[in-house]
Amino acid sequence: MIKTKGIFIIKFEKQDEKFVGNLNWKKLKEGYNKAKKFFEYEGEITPIRICLLYSPEEYLFFSGYPQYENWMSACTGYHNTIYIFAPSVIEKYTIHKKSDILKTLVHEITHFFYGYSSIKKNLTRLPLWEEGISNYLADKKITSEINFEISTLRNFKDKNSSNYIVGYILIDHIMKYFKENGNKKILEFLTKVEQSDSEEALFKKFEEIFGMNVDVLMGLKGGEKNESFRKTS
């Protein structure tokens, strides 16, 4: 079955018809607008196609990943398509809940805006920042505290989940500290860094743009204001 809901087109099976009908499409559009505003993106990314999946084999087929793991629930593809496990099976095959689907869709929509902005606005795609921004805009709140100094501003290669957790906390701190200018600072940083930059260069550019060391901003060392600030995140 295929239905159009505003800027969204969704493909699903009969067993998920009720869920699709009851999904808060208005809130999903608000998430789309939030991502558009964050990236100061001109124009639209439409339509957004949503394809519900019903097995790990389908997920591997559409994602192109070599191996399936149960933390995986969604990915993006060509033609602005989001592939996501259907509500009728998501709790069977993944660690995620049916109630997570709306936020996950916003997370994936944010990847579209980051991706197109990397082309139109010359943003550098760094996994830590991309997953952090996507989780932040999807309001996937993470209450964990970081008790170690940040070792990378690019990508936690050995532990991919850290990109989601540390990335969210980093973006959350930046947005709270710089308020309405937070996204502008983030876009400035992602415009000025390059894929070829060493970690040392990334940390140096961070300090130049944000005016402080990343660990200080996150309250990991020094700075009484930043320490109290960290406790509210």
Side-chain angles (χ1 to χ4, degrees), residues 197-228:
D197 282 344
S198 65
E199 287 290 353
E200 182 180 0
L202 291 176
F203 279 103
K204 183 177 180 181
K205 289 180 179 179
F206 183 99
E207 194 162 348
E208 290 172 354
I209 292 167
F210 293 98
M212 67 187 79
N213 179 284
V214 62
D215 292 325
V216 171
L217 175 63
M218 297 180 72
L220 297 175
K221 59 182 181 181
E224 182 177 336
K225 178 170 66 174
N226 291 311
E227 180 62 25
S228 61

Side-chain angles (χ1 to χ4, degrees), residues 42 48 100 143 145 152 185:
E42 296 181 3
I48 300 290
D100 297 334
T143 58
E145 290 191 357
T152 178
K185 286 285 189 181

Side-chain angles (χ1 to χ4, degrees), residues 6-158:
I7 66 169
F8 306 103
I9 303 173
I10 184 166
K11 179 181 181 298
F12 58 98
E13 300 296 336
K14 179 68 176 176
Q15 60 263 41
D16 292 301
E17 185 174 14
K18 183 177 179 181
F19 182 92
V20 170
N22 292 333
L23 187 66
N24 193 334
W25 294 97
K26 180 181 178 182
K27 193 167 184 180
L28 186 59
K29 181 59 161 59
E30 289 172 355
Y32 171 97
N33 290 335
K34 188 177 178 182
K36 178 180 177 179
K37 181 179 179 181
F38 183 95
F39 285 99
E40 300 180 350
Y41 190 86
E42 296 181 3
E44 305 293 340
I45 301 175
T46 57
I48 300 290
R49 294 174 172 84
I50 302 169
C51 180
L52 300 189
L53 305 179
Y54 292 85
S55 71
E57 289 76 19
E58 276 190 307
Y59 186 87
L60 290 177
F61 179 83
F62 287 111
S63 69
Y65 294 146
Q67 182 177 339
Y68 172 73
E69 297 181 37
N70 66 358
W71 61 266
M72 299 175 176
S73 68
C75 63
T76 58
Y78 292 112
H79 309 299
N80 308 331
T81 302
I82 298 170
Y83 297 100
I84 184 169
F85 275 98
S88 58
V89 301
I90 193 168
E91 295 179 13
K92 176 181 178 181
Y93 293 120
T94 82
I95 59 174
H96 304 282
K97 301 294 184 183
K98 202 162 44 171
S99 56
D100 297 334
I101 288 177
L102 182 61
K103 288 185 177 183
T104 300
L105 289 172
V106 175
H107 178 105
E108 300 303 326
I109 288 170
T110 302
H111 281 302
F112 288 138
F113 278 101
Y114 196 131
Y116 281 108
S117 294
S118 70
I119 299 170
K120 290 188 173 185
K121 302 168 75 72
N122 199 35
L123 299 190
T124 298
R125 300 189 75 167
L126 303 175
L128 175 69
W129 294 77
E130 184 159 358
E131 299 302 347
I133 294 170
S134 297
N135 266 358
Y136 177 83
L137 293 180
D139 199 29
K140 288 193 169 189
K141 295 186 183 297
I142 295 171
T143 58
S144 304
E145 290 191 357
I146 298 175
N147 56 7
F148 55 88
E149 292 186 7
I150 308 303
S151 61
T152 178
L153 285 176
R154 184 190 308 280
N155 182 22
F156 284 89
K157 294 180 180 179
D158 297 331

